Amino acid sequence: MNEIKQVLLDQKVRLERKLEKERVIERDVPDLKKYLSRPNVLAILGVRRSGKSTLAETLLRGENFGYINFDDDRLAWVKVEDLHKLEKAVYELFGEVEYFLFDEIHNVNGWELFVSRLREEGKKVVITGSNSKMLSGELATALTGRHTDFTLFPFSFSEYLRFKGVRVEKVKDTYTTPSEGVVKRELENYIREGGFPEVLKISEDFIFTIFSDIVYKDVVQRLKIKRVESFKSFTVNVLKYFSNEVSLSKLSKTLKLSNNTVEEWFNGLINAYVIITSERFTSKPREGMTSQKKVYVIDPGFITSIALDSSKGRVMENLVALQLSRVGEKLFYLKGDNYEIDFMVNGKAIQVTYASGKDEIPKREVEGLEKVKAGKKVVITWDYEDEVRGIKFIPLWKFLLNTREYLSVG
């Protein structure tokens, strides 16, 4: 027991020292603390290294809480029957705590009933996890809706600017000229660096460490993949499809893998938040389920450094997909006869194109919008703004900073 207590005490001290030393960036998230006003389980999910632990700790700052990080190699031995020992150690160290914070508790098989019991005993529990399926099983059944989940992404562009100390000056609906110039320059940097906090704090090269950690800890180990090199090749190939439809059958033939293996690996990347997907927009549910999905990468840094691609239009579309997902929109694309709409979101049709002037906008982008019925039609450009025949043209940087405003009705 003394060894367990030493590990837990060390973890808590490290967490507190880390947050004391580092400048914590305010995240653009809703008021998550309200979900802990009574006994409940709050799950903060998202890709590894996106800042979940930091966000969770800031929610509990000022409270007496027990903290256990299950990603610690010193706790690799823990089985579900050992969790009560850790609970006892927390009480002995910190007293009768009201809150618990568990990092990556899904590393312990069968953890769900343990957390459910804590909640039923009146505790407020925050869990973090880097697997999107961790709430789909026994916990969801055990809690019968008595849990709340929130997905955290790497820094958005507005959070990136906050990290860089860039203040955007806006007078009524107009940005000042110096602010606009700085923001456009920083957008180029954001596309190159991405939004992983540690990459921005340590080095751009740290993106490779993060990528390796995610691949091995959240996919290879979880799925018990033995053909590691084949999986790495598969993953890079999938990333290169960003902002495009992906054919799993073609991938299986190209990489000489079975269809089942490719499907399992592809879903593994989704569950680890390496990629997100967009489904085909259709009135026929079966068609939507069987159609090819479009792929988007969780961070622009992975596109630049891992996929080694800087195609501006596709990168822009990827950024828009991430931003729409951040604000809670489910992604759909529309494919018609001789046209395609990048995003159909809640009655709105959105195209993305790399254009800085009216003459640079491909006719197909506008013609596609004119063929669909939508409550609002938007073209997101690189640096062109106007409204023509009911179609609103918005520069990417403005859309990223004012997403909810541009998605609002009217």
Side-chain angles (χ1 to χ4, degrees), residues 62-90:
E63 308 286 357
N64 182 28
F65 65 92
Y67 172 66
I68 305 175
N69 180 4
F70 290 92
D71 228 15
D72 192 323
D73 63 283
R74 293 171 295 177
L75 296 181
W77 56 271
V78 173
K79 301 287 190 293
V80 65
E81 57 267 22
D82 302 311
L83 291 175
H84 74 282
K85 297 178 185 176
L86 300 182
E87 179 189 4
K88 183 179 179 182
V90 166

Side-chain angles (χ1 to χ4, degrees), residues 289-331:
M289 292 174 63
T290 57
S291 297
Q292 292 179 355
K293 290 179 171 59
K294 292 184 75 172
V295 168
Y296 298 102
V297 179
I298 197 65
D299 186 75
F302 281 169
I303 294 174
T304 304
S305 300
I306 309 298
L308 298 177
D309 197 326
S310 56
S311 306
K312 215 51 166 287
R314 291 171 61 203
V315 171
M316 288 174 61
E317 183 179 334
N318 199 100
L319 289 178
V320 171
L322 294 178
Q323 192 64 13
L324 291 172
S325 297
R326 277 192 184 93
V327 300
E329 299 288 356
K330 185 169 174 56
L331 302 181

Side-chain angles (χ1 to χ4, degrees), residues 124-184:
K124 301 167 183 179
V125 184
V126 181
I127 58 178
T128 74
S130 51
N131 188 285
S132 65
K133 294 299 181 185
M134 66 182 292
L135 292 180
S136 63
E138 197 169 343
L139 179 62
T141 302
L143 296 180
T144 58
R146 292 183 177 180
H147 72 274
T148 305
D149 60 282
F150 175 78
T151 302
L152 185 69
F153 289 71
F155 283 162
S156 66
F157 182 50
S158 63
E159 292 166 339
Y160 176 89
L161 291 178
R162 204 171 295 142
F163 175 85
K164 292 289 187 174
V166 175
R167 293 186 60 184
V168 181
E169 300 291 342
K170 187 177 181 183
V171 180
K172 293 185 178 180
D173 294 328
T174 305
Y175 292 89
T176 62
T177 301
S179 289
E180 185 173 329
V182 171
V183 168
K184 290 176 184 176

Side-chain angles (χ1 to χ4, degrees), residues 57 79 103 105 148 219 260 270 278 285 320-321 329:
E57 201 279 341
K79 301 287 190 293
D103 266 338
I105 192 173
T148 305
V219 190
N260 288 340
I270 293 174
S278 176
V320 171
E329 299 288 356

Side-chain angles (χ1 to χ4, degrees), residues 18-158:
K18 175 185 175 183
L19 294 171
E20 284 174 4
K21 291 179 180 179
E22 293 184 1
R23 181 168 60 97
V24 177
I25 303 302
E26 181 184 353
R27 303 301 299 262
D28 296 329
V29 301
D31 178 15
L32 298 177
K33 188 72 179 286
K34 69 181 180 182
Y35 298 114
L36 299 173
S37 59
R38 55 187 178 186
N40 191 19
V41 176
L42 171 64
I44 301 176
L45 310 177
V47 68
R48 185 177 292 269
R49 308 291 186 94
S50 57
K52 300 185 297 293
S53 300
T54 301
L55 175 60
E57 201 279 341
T58 56
L59 291 178
L60 300 182
R61 186 167 290 178
E63 308 286 357
N64 182 28
F65 65 92
Y67 172 66
I68 305 175
N69 180 4
F70 290 92
D71 228 15
D72 192 323
D73 63 283
R74 293 171 295 177
L75 296 181
W77 56 271
V78 173
K79 301 287 190 293
V80 65
E81 57 267 22
D82 302 311
L83 291 175
H84 74 282
K85 297 178 185 176
L86 300 182
E87 179 189 4
K88 183 179 179 182
V90 166
Y91 292 136
E92 291 182 5
L93 283 170
F94 308 112
E96 192 64 29
V97 299
E98 182 181 2
Y99 297 85
F100 280 91
L101 168 54
F102 298 134
D103 266 338
E104 308 290 344
I105 192 173
H106 57 86
N107 288 342
V108 181
N109 290 328
W111 61 273
E112 298 92 344
L113 290 179
F114 169 72
V115 169
S116 179
R117 174 177 63 77
L118 289 178
R119 186 198 60 78
E120 293 200 4
E121 291 176 354
K123 303 303 179 183
K124 301 167 183 179
V125 184
V126 181
I127 58 178
T128 74
S130 51
N131 188 285
S132 65
K133 294 299 181 185
M134 66 182 292
L135 292 180
S136 63
E138 197 169 343
L139 179 62
T141 302
L143 296 180
T144 58
R146 292 183 177 180
H147 72 274
T148 305
D149 60 282
F150 175 78
T151 302
L152 185 69
F153 289 71
F155 283 162
S156 66
F157 182 50
S158 63

